Amino acid sequence: MKSNNGSPVLIKKHHLEDWIGRIYTTFCVSLLVIIIVSMMYFVASKGLTTFIKDGVNVGDFLFGTKWDPNGDNPVFGALPFIAGSFATSLLAALIASPLSICAALFMNEIVPSWGKRLLQPVIELLAGIPSVVYGFVGLSVIVPLFRDIFPGQGIGIAAGALVLSVMILPTITSIASDALSSLPKGLKESSYALGATRWQTIYSVILPTVMPSLLTGVVLGMARAFGEALAVQMVIGNAPHVPRSLFESASTLTSVITLNMGNTVMGSVQNNALWSMALALMVMTFIFVIVVRLLERRHRL
Amino acid sequence: MKPRTADKIATGVIVTFSSVIVAVLLGLLGFILFRGLSHISWSFLTSVPQTIRAGGGIGPQLFNSLFLLVLTLIITIPLGLGAGIYMAEYAKPGKITGAIRLVVEVLSSFPSIVVGLFGLLLIVNTFGFGFSLFSGALVLTIFNLPLMVRVTEQAFRGVPKEQKEAGLALGLSKWKIIISILLPVAIPNLVTGTVLAAGRVFGEAAALLFTAGMSTPRLDFTNWNPLSPTSPINPFRPAETLAVHIWKINSEGLAPDAMAIAAGASAVLVILVLIFNLTARWLGRVLYQAFTASKVMK
Amino acid sequence: MKLKKPALLMGTLALVLALSACGNNGENKGASNSTDTNKALTGSLLAVGSTALQPLVEQVGQKFMADSKYAGVQVQVQGGGSGTGLTQVSGGQADIGNSDVFAEEKLKDADADKAKELIDHQVAVVAMSIVSNKDTGVDTLTKQQMVDIFTGKVTNWNEVGGIDEKIVIVNRPSSSGTRSTFEKYALGTKVEDMAGAIQEESSGTVRKIVGETPGAIGYLAFSYLDDSITSIKYDGVEAKVENVITGEYPVWAYEHMYTKGEPNEVVKAFLDYMVSDEIQNGDVVELGYIPASQMQVTRDVDGNVTKK
């Protein structure tokens, strides 16, 4: 209302409107920024206490293989969890990516007429199934199945990765499908005009063009797998050791946080160590996002 | 002949993999519904849970899930719309916009348990909202905001340039253009995106354990005073949602029919998500037709 | 119509702000009216913590509120784990902190002062049984055999008199109260996490895995025992309530409800109700706990057992 004071000219209504609109949207964005900055500050300050106040060595934390917070001589080595997180999410991405990319190709290239109408709802439904239910199905179906087929008890990284791969299918598929459908029509048509078969077109024209977007999808899928907690925790076994095989009980960062956070007292060293793992998760999320950025930048060039 | 063969094989592989996805979904749905449907009845949907006796229901939990969804949407939609419009229309490409976009992406892939604990310390304890639906809704907003911002931004960017330029030519203010030209055109996509994002609210458990709580007070469904502690629509009472309830009975359930209840509740949850998705597509289509038709009349 | 849209947006925003303002008011009210001196008690109390104790407190809370004497009291019960319960009660956010272990065991070193401020109310005893998959062919284990199993010295059931089947350990995470009780009173020693051992926090999942995995061994509270698993005798003593009461069966622990300082009127009324005969002999037994009053022995923080 400042401009009303000095000026005798009535402020035009649409200027006021514009002003309100700008303030309102800026407010919303600032709020968004405030939320994430305060969350980052919060997790970082809690997570760093382990190293600053409790005197745990950062190197020991990141590369130590022994996790024994309740022993007479507490040791906080988080490598088993970090390794577990990477192994499950990489493996999950490995299983899910070919499936997802094929589904996206099916929707956009093979039968563009009805492929989307069939697969889109399927993908959205998969995204909508709660993770508790995924975990439960994993424990009731995948674990007994693996126990019968492979050595071991069925639980472990393999079971966790399989459950996760289904959970990240929607992420990768929808990004891949968006990329494919935004391709300029002329690209494909000129390839067909040269007499190329559909597969030749896909393989040598379409895939190279959308490759950065496909990788973006895969990385975002991995990020999702990295952060998933309840479903993985139910099927992975949770032993705080680097496993010797894919079918042996292992842990991830999220599973150890969910299992122990409620049982430990805020401010204790063990609790702080869990927060350090949350911080590690956050840093990983940043790395994933930055990787996506780099991929997109290469795409633009 | 060789490229032909390669083409056939590749097509076969693509079709097979796609069928695998459909089969996985059908298998999942079949498994969940097959185990759960037999347990669903009117009394299961409306009665209160039992701790150790058989025959408990999921009435309050079902209501809580739906009510929490409404609360979350009330908070998320205005904020998400505002932030999305800013990103699509006001933000100038540059370092700050880039930073905000980075922030949105990080926020959307944050582990839910960390967000839950953040909520416990800040919203539940420091701000003093306690274990309540409101705390839960705020935490869910943190999840849903990035999605909502992305949906809004994409919907607004999807509006043909000519429409915006026509508005500018008429000498309309920017806000006026946004509200009366861009928004109506963007609405079908907005609605579909919002409803799909909302579906996730049903499934979230890890974050709600620490914010909305794991128990529900006795509810008096005849009491509609939002400030009364026994009223179902009081946003400041603790509330256990369906997903949290499934988690709880799977882990510490003492009732002899705990497994059946978990299966039944999972089936209800999946059916809800199914209904949500179908509604989203239908609503998007109807709105699209309505708006495109109105354009012809102009 | 079109003109109203910005107003609508602002209106919604205002509503959200108003709602959040309401929240603060509501909170203040809840906290201040707990000191009414009228005959009818009014107020609210919040109990947070142990998921093992939660079903009991929840059920008793429902009964308490249904009692006409306490109709003005709102009891809220939340889970979150023993650590969360102790954090919340010593921070003043909760009135009662539910815990499976003594506060001194969780609040150590720098936090030891906080444990001193807390007052312990032992409301029940929970006993645990060693359980195994049904086909192991073993129904009793000595303490030493169990230590050997959980430290990985014995890896096959035939070494302890059972069939030829690899032993699969289903343990709890190292922070779990159930695990610390098991290690303290069943094994008498802390054991390290074995590579390849399964760890699950929730009793339901432990029961499911032990029941389905050949050769699995784990431990569960009595209330979770059913015929999908075998309950194993400890040094020949059967895992039965009577044996716990006499002190013969040692694998048990108190369930604690901690308050910070002396409880206020409302909280005290609830805690008294909790240890009343009606609840102790009714709900406590019904939910598979053992009434603390029936125990013929007591035990302190350091595990010293004395006859009553």
Side-chain angles (χ1 to χ4, degrees):
Chain A
M1 304 291 162
K2 201 171 54 187
S3 38
N4 268 348
N5 293 343
S7 156
V9 185
L10 265 175
I11 187 156
K12 278 192 185 155
K13 190 173 163 244
H14 74 248
H15 275 295
L16 183 70
E17 253 178 32
D18 225 14
W19 189 74
I20 293 176
R22 190 170 268 274
I23 301 244
Y24 173 67
T25 53
T26 317
F27 164 79
C28 293
V29 164
S30 333
L31 198 75
L32 194 69
V33 175
I34 291 171
I35 290 175
I36 188 112
V37 168
S38 57
M39 239 164 76
M40 269 155 41
Y41 168 77
F42 171 82
V43 175
S45 67
K46 283 231 132 219
L48 290 174
T49 328
T50 325
F51 310 119
I52 298 166
K53 215 179 102 230
D54 303 326
V56 176
N57 187 308
V58 183
D60 290 350
F61 179 78
L62 287 179
F63 303 110
T65 52
K66 196 171 151 123
W67 172 258
D68 186 15
N70 284 18
D72 298 326
N73 218 348
V75 194
F76 301 94
L79 187 67
F81 313 115
I82 299 174
S85 281
F86 271 106
T88 39
S89 48
L90 270 174
L91 198 58
L94 223 56
I95 303 172
S97 303
L99 285 173
S100 307
I101 293 171
C102 283
L105 286 172
F106 182 81
M107 280 193 269
N108 291 286
E109 306 299 331
I110 309 276
V111 274
S113 50
W114 52 269
K116 223 172 192 140
R117 289 214 341 244
L118 171 76
L119 278 181
Q120 194 79 23
V122 170
I123 295 301
E124 276 161 16
L125 263 176
L126 282 176
I129 295 177
S131 63
V132 192
V133 175
Y134 273 116
F136 187 68
V137 174
L139 192 60
S140 316
V141 180
I142 295 177
V143 170
L145 187 75
F146 277 17
R147 188 161 51 218
D148 292 342
I149 303 177
F150 300 103
Q153 292 91 52
I155 44 107
I157 288 186
L162 196 57
V163 171
L164 279 177
S165 69
V166 181
M167 297 179 76
I168 64 175
L169 271 178
T171 315
I172 308 181
T173 310
S174 59
I175 294 175
S177 169
D178 283 350
L180 287 174
S181 64
S182 67
L183 274 183
K185 269 234 157 65
L187 203 64
K188 262 186 288 176
E189 276 155 13
S190 46
S191 170
Y192 285 131
L194 286 172
T197 61
R198 184 160 57 198
W199 173 241
Q200 281 171 327
T201 309
I202 291 175
Y203 182 75
S204 42
V205 178
I206 297 178
L207 284 184
T209 321
V210 295
M211 193 45 87
S213 306
L214 295 185
L215 288 175
T216 303
V218 173
V219 174
L220 282 180
M222 273 185 71
R224 165 116 208 261
F226 218 81
E228 174 52 46
L230 290 180
V232 185
Q233 186 231 301
M234 287 173 87
V235 298
I236 199 164
N238 307 308
H241 290 276
V242 181
R244 287 160 297 191
S245 86
L246 293 178
F247 302 99
E248 190 178 276
S249 175
S251 289
T252 65
L253 288 169
T254 45
S255 77
V256 71
I257 295 176
T258 19
L259 274 181
N260 294 298
M261 198 55 111
N263 288 327
T264 53
V265 174
M266 209 63 86
S268 63
V269 189
Q270 188 179 359
N271 189 272
N272 286 339
L274 294 175
W275 279 106
S276 303
M277 289 191 221
L279 179 63
L281 273 175
M282 195 170 78
V283 172
M284 277 313 300
T285 315
F286 264 100
I287 294 177
F288 280 130
V289 171
I290 288 169
V291 169
V292 168
R293 278 304 169 80
L294 291 177
L295 287 171
E296 278 169 356
R297 187 165 308 159
R298 221 184 59 184
H299 186 44
R300 242 174 261 142
L301 285 176
Chain B
M1 227 38 196
K2 228 182 159 204
R4 272 287 145 83
T5 328
D7 186 51
K8 280 215 174 103
I9 293 173
T11 310
V13 169
I14 292 174
V15 172
T16 317
F17 277 19
S18 306
S19 333
V20 167
I21 294 187
V22 178
V24 165
L25 177 85
L26 290 181
L28 265 171
L29 285 185
F31 180 78
I32 296 165
L33 295 180
F34 173 74
R35 286 170 46 105
L37 272 185
S38 58
H39 203 76
I40 298 178
S41 63
W42 181 246
S43 74
F44 178 68
L45 292 177
T46 50
S47 58
V48 276
Q50 296 286 342
T51 317
I52 55 162
R53 275 172 283 270
I58 52 165
Q61 281 74 20
L62 190 58
F63 177 83
N64 287 340
S65 283
L66 293 171
F67 187 44
L68 186 62
L69 177 75
V70 173
L71 274 181
T72 311
L73 288 184
I74 290 178
I75 305 173
T76 317
I77 291 178
L79 288 178
L81 266 183
I85 291 174
Y86 181 92
M87 297 301 288
E89 300 299 324
Y90 289 106
K92 296 180 188 72
K95 280 226 167 84
I96 297 176
T97 317
I100 294 175
R101 210 160 268 136
L102 184 78
V103 156
V104 171
E105 276 169 37
V106 172
L107 199 60
S108 66
S109 38
F110 224 66
S112 60
I113 174 121
V114 175
V115 180
L117 285 155
F118 172 75
L120 172 69
L121 289 185
L122 201 72
I123 301 169
V124 175
N125 290 348
T126 313
F127 292 165
F129 288 118
F131 290 97
S132 67
L133 277 163
F134 188 69
S135 304
L138 285 182
V139 166
L140 288 176
T141 302
I142 299 182
F143 284 113
N144 264 12
L145 253 188
L147 282 173
M148 197 60 212
V149 170
R150 202 179 294 162
V151 165
T152 313
E153 198 185 336
Q154 274 168 5
F156 270 80
R157 285 191 192 280
V159 178
K161 265 216 166 70
E162 294 77 19
Q163 303 212 358
K164 198 166 148 189
E165 277 157 7
L168 284 170
L170 285 172
L172 295 175
S173 74
K174 191 161 191 179
W175 183 246
K176 185 89 185 167
I177 294 174
I178 291 172
I179 293 302
S180 24
I181 299 182
L182 302 185
L183 188 61
V185 184
I187 270 187
N189 283 333
L190 274 180
V191 170
T192 313
T194 311
V195 177
L196 289 179
R200 298 205 169 170
V201 172
F202 281 131
E204 183 51 47
L208 291 178
L209 292 178
F210 297 98
T211 49
M214 282 172 66
S215 71
T216 305
R218 57 189 163 160
L219 295 179
D220 176 5
F221 276 91
T222 54
N223 181 352
W224 294 97
N225 169 13
L227 294 176
S228 153
T230 56
S231 162
I233 57 164
N234 176 4
F236 299 104
R237 64 176 174 85
E240 183 191 29
T241 66
L242 210 49
V244 174
H245 189 63
I246 294 174
W247 185 83
K248 185 168 131 187
I249 44 184
N250 258 338
S251 47
E252 307 289 340
L254 281 170
D257 58 349
M259 281 302 143
I261 292 174
S266 303
V268 172
L269 206 52
V270 168
I271 292 172
L272 275 180
V273 174
L274 207 72
I275 294 174
F276 245 74
N277 284 15
L278 291 178
T279 321
R281 329 212 116 248
W282 174 79
L283 211 60
R285 211 164 40 231
V286 167
L287 286 172
Y288 181 75
Q289 273 159 7
F291 282 111
T292 42
S294 72
K295 248 182 275 164
V296 174
M297 275 161 67
K298 261 181 212 165
Chain C
M1 187 54 200
K2 278 169 184 167
L3 280 176
K4 277 180 194 154
K5 284 219 170 98
L8 193 74
L9 282 178
M10 298 312 282
T12 327
L13 189 69
L15 185 75
V16 173
L17 291 174
L19 271 175
S20 50
C22 278
N24 283 331
N25 293 343
E27 273 309 305
N28 293 342
K29 247 184 266 161
S32 62
N33 59 10
S34 54
T35 46
D36 256 11
T37 43
N38 285 0
K39 190 94 180 88
L41 221 45
T42 56
S44 64
L45 75 87
L46 173 62
V48 181
S50 159
T51 40
L53 187 52
Q54 192 186 356
L56 175 65
V57 183
E58 219 167 60
Q59 178 156 326
V60 175
Q62 298 289 346
K63 260 188 151 169
F64 183 76
M65 289 189 287
D67 195 318
S68 59
K69 258 189 295 179
Y70 310 110
V73 180
Q74 272 293 317
V75 180
Q76 283 183 24
V77 186
Q78 302 297 344
S82 303
T84 308
L86 291 170
T87 312
Q88 298 264 315
V89 72
S90 70
Q93 290 99 8
D95 303 290
I96 298 173
N98 299 333
S99 174
D100 303 332
V101 293
F102 282 96
E104 288 83 353
E105 293 176 53
K106 287 272 176 201
L107 294 159
K108 281 185 284 200
D109 310 324
D111 293 323
D113 291 343
K114 285 190 195 154
K116 281 189 197 125
E117 292 174 357
L118 298 178
I119 295 179
D120 188 4
H121 308 267
Q122 295 166 353
V123 292
V125 163
V126 60
M128 273 163 239
S129 169
I130 295 93
V131 295
S132 79
N133 189 266
K134 294 189 86 157
D135 60 3
T136 56
V138 171
D139 68 346
T140 181
L141 286 169
T142 65
K143 184 174 176 173
Q144 190 53 45
Q145 281 174 328
M146 243 150 24
V147 173
D148 289 346
I149 289 174
F150 276 86
T151 52
K153 268 185 217 142
V154 167
T155 55
N156 197 308
W157 283 103
N158 61 18
E159 293 172 64
V160 289
I163 59 164
D164 178 23
E165 176 81 59
K166 212 173 158 283
I167 297 178
V168 177
I169 299 171
V170 184
N171 213 332
R172 309 279 177 135
S174 53
S175 60
S176 153
T178 311
R179 169 152 165 191
S180 80
T181 303
F182 177 75
E183 288 184 345
K184 236 172 152 175
Y185 305 119
L187 304 180
T189 169
K190 273 185 183 167
V191 293
E192 286 193 5
D193 298 312
M194 300 286 303
I198 301 170
Q199 290 191 0
E200 289 298 339
E201 164 69 13
S202 65
S203 306
T205 316
V206 170
R207 181 170 61 189
K208 189 171 161 66
I209 292 181
V210 172
E212 289 174 359
T213 311
I217 185 170
Y219 42 92
L220 282 171
F222 281 10
S223 47
Y224 289 95
L225 299 180
D226 65 10
D227 49 12
S228 69
I229 46 184
T230 307
S231 166
I232 290 181
K233 288 185 198 135
Y234 178 81
D235 267 341
V237 182
E238 212 175 324
K240 271 166 63 181
V241 173
E242 299 83 66
N243 296 338
V244 176
I245 289 173
T246 57
E248 240 180 296
Y249 186 85
V251 194
W252 57 270
Y254 292 110
E255 288 291 355
H256 311 260
M257 292 174 80
Y258 279 98
T259 54
K260 192 182 185 183
E262 285 301 328
N264 69 30
E265 228 182 346
V266 175
V267 177
K268 191 168 183 322
F270 182 65
L271 289 170
D272 288 345
Y273 188 75
M274 192 88 196
V275 293
S276 67
D277 285 345
E278 185 200 341
I279 297 299
Q280 289 285 317
N281 297 328
D283 302 77
V284 168
V285 176
E286 192 187 9
L287 285 171
Y289 304 88
I290 301 164
S293 53
Q294 279 186 18
M295 294 294 293
Q296 292 169 12
V297 291
T298 59
R299 187 147 69 189
D300 65 9
V301 191
D302 302 315
N304 303 315
V305 177
T306 41
K307 279 253 175 219
K308 262 193 198 167

